[in-house]
């Protein structure tokens, strides 16, 4: 799949929906529709979601807190000033990152055109100026592979560099909120991250290395599997449970950059 930064606005399609009455909502989405203001507090201003986005979007309060907690920036040397949302969906986390004001560059990756069109539309509703977010229509794994390939090729200054792929590894943080394989994870007391679909824990971690990255995972994820991701050299990983109304919604695993990342620049 091609890496294509979006120039302008993707067209909205019949998959981009806004429900105003419960009678319009499919039965499997009614539970989520009743929680619509926790997903987007500005829902009534014509927030658009695809069918699958109702299951996957990060609740706004959680997205905002994650945006506050994401490791940054001016306190580090060099500063972390680029964030890449690898599974942007309809924009829940991307919007929060942009509104936080912590990043010089916010890059949002989404492979589905209708979903990315919703994200662009929703960002505009939240009054994020054009140009603050770089929207990229691409598969996130293809995107990361090409970023690393471009870095390894040591592109000369006079050669054309795709700005969406031009990342300084030492200044970049990746955020991955992947699909979890539906809602069946709720039936497991301890969720086996090796069975997460369509991407398991190892696949996600390997794709994101060596850059600093954060993984948004089910709240019951197996901590033993997460502990194995700890890098060599004594660096620790941080695991945070994010709650709403006293109940955990998800956990985020914060993983530091590997030692050689500081010397890798796109």
């Amino acid at each position: 799949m091609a890496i294509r930064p979006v120039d302008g606005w993707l067209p909205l399609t019949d998959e981009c929906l806004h429900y105003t009455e419960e009678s319009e909502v499919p039965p499997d989405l009614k539970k989520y529709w009743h929680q619509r203001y926790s997903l987007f507090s500005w829902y009534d201003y014509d927030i658009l979601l695809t069918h699958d986005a109702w299951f996957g979007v990060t609740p706004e309060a959680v997205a905002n807190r994650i945006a506050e907690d994401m490791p940054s920036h001016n306190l580090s040397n060099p500063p972390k000033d680029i964030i890449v949302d690898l599974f942007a969906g309809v924009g829940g986390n991307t919007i929060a990152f942009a509104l936080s004001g912590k990043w010089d560059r916010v890059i949002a990756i989404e492979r589905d055109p209708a979903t990315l069109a919703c994200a662009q539309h929703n960002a505009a509703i939240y009054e994020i100026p054009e140009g603050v977010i770089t929207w990229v229509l691409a598969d996130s794994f293809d995107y990361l592979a090409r970023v690393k390939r471009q870095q390894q090729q040591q592109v000369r200054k006079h050669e054309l560099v795709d700005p969406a792929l031009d990342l300084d590894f030492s200044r970049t943080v990746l955020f991955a909120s992947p699909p979890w394989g539906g809602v069946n994870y709720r039936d497991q007391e301890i969720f086996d991250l090796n069975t997460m679909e369509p991407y398991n824990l190892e696949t996600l971690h390997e794709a994101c290395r060596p850059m600093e990255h954060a993984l948004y995972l089910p709240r019951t994820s197996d901590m033993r599997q997460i502990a194995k991701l700890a890098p060599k050299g004594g660096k620790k990983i941080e695991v945070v449970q994010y709650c709403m109304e006293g109940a955990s919604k998800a956990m985020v695993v914060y993983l530091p950059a590997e030692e050689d990342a500081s010397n890798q620049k796109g």
Side-chain angles (χ1 to χ4, degrees):
M1 185 175 183
I3 303 296
R4 183 160 66 90
V6 176
D7 183 15
W9 294 80
L10 287 173
L12 298 174
T13 71
D14 292 342
E15 298 175 69
C16 304
L17 299 172
H18 178 86
Y19 300 116
T20 57
E21 302 290 340
E22 184 175 356
S23 59
E24 305 170 335
V25 182
D28 61 332
L29 297 183
K30 288 186 184 293
K31 169 186 174 181
Y32 300 95
W33 186 78
H34 286 297
Q35 300 172 4
R36 60 195 181 280
Y37 298 116
S38 69
L39 303 180
F40 288 99
S41 60
W42 289 15
Y43 178 84
D44 287 345
Y45 292 87
D46 197 34
I47 289 292
L48 299 179
L49 295 91
T50 61
H51 184 278
D52 289 348
W54 284 96
F55 298 99
V57 66
T58 303
E60 184 174 298
V62 174
N64 289 340
R65 184 55 189 266
I66 291 171
E68 291 180 16
D69 290 349
M70 285 298 292
S72 63
H73 307 289
N74 297 328
L75 299 178
S76 61
N77 185 22
K80 301 289 186 182
D81 52 14
I82 305 167
I83 189 161
V84 183
D85 188 352
L86 293 171
F87 301 91
V90 294
N93 290 106
T94 301
I95 290 169
F97 293 142
L99 290 175
S100 73
K102 293 167 62 174
W103 309 93
D104 289 347
R105 295 176 64 190
V106 178
I107 301 173
I109 315 296
E110 174 54 50
R111 65 180 298 168
D112 179 65
T115 303
L116 191 58
C118 290
Q120 289 183 297
H121 174 88
N122 295 339
I125 288 174
Y126 275 80
E127 301 178 347
I128 296 173
E130 289 189 52
V132 170
I133 301 169
T134 300
W135 304 100
V136 181
L137 183 65
D139 175 85
S140 57
F141 292 94
D142 189 17
Y143 171 83
L144 289 173
R146 296 193 189 195
V147 165
K148 294 174 183 178
R149 190 179 310 129
Q150 178 165 284
Q151 185 278 326
Q152 291 168 354
Q153 291 172 349
Q154 297 180 339
V155 178
R156 295 186 180 90
K157 292 182 179 179
H158 66 272
E159 293 179 330
L160 180 64
V161 175
D162 185 335
L165 297 174
D166 185 21
L167 297 183
D168 181 336
F169 285 15
S170 67
R171 305 176 75 99
T172 301
V173 179
L174 306 177
F175 177 78
S177 176
W180 295 342
V183 297
N184 292 334
Y185 69 90
R186 295 175 180 170
D187 300 330
Q188 300 183 39
E189 184 176 352
I190 299 177
F191 182 67
D192 183 355
L193 292 164
N194 292 328
T195 65
M196 189 166 61
E197 297 179 350
Y199 320 112
N200 64 22
L201 181 64
E202 182 179 0
T203 299
L204 290 166
H205 180 55
E206 286 300 317
C208 292
R209 297 173 57 209
M211 286 174 276
E212 184 172 320
H213 54 287
L215 306 178
Y216 184 88
L217 301 171
R219 59 182 175 81
T220 58
S221 296
D222 191 331
M223 292 298 297
R224 295 167 297 181
Q225 294 171 332
I226 292 171
K228 293 179 180 179
L229 304 182
K232 297 178 181 179
K235 286 188 176 181
K236 296 181 180 180
I237 61 177
E238 183 178 3
V239 180
V240 180
Q241 289 277 359
Y242 288 90
C243 302
M244 289 180 60
E245 299 178 354
S248 176
K249 293 297 183 181
M251 69 167 60
V252 174
V253 181
Y254 294 95
L255 294 131
E258 296 179 0
E259 291 296 335
D260 60 351
S262 61
N263 298 318
Q264 299 187 29
K265 298 182 179 180

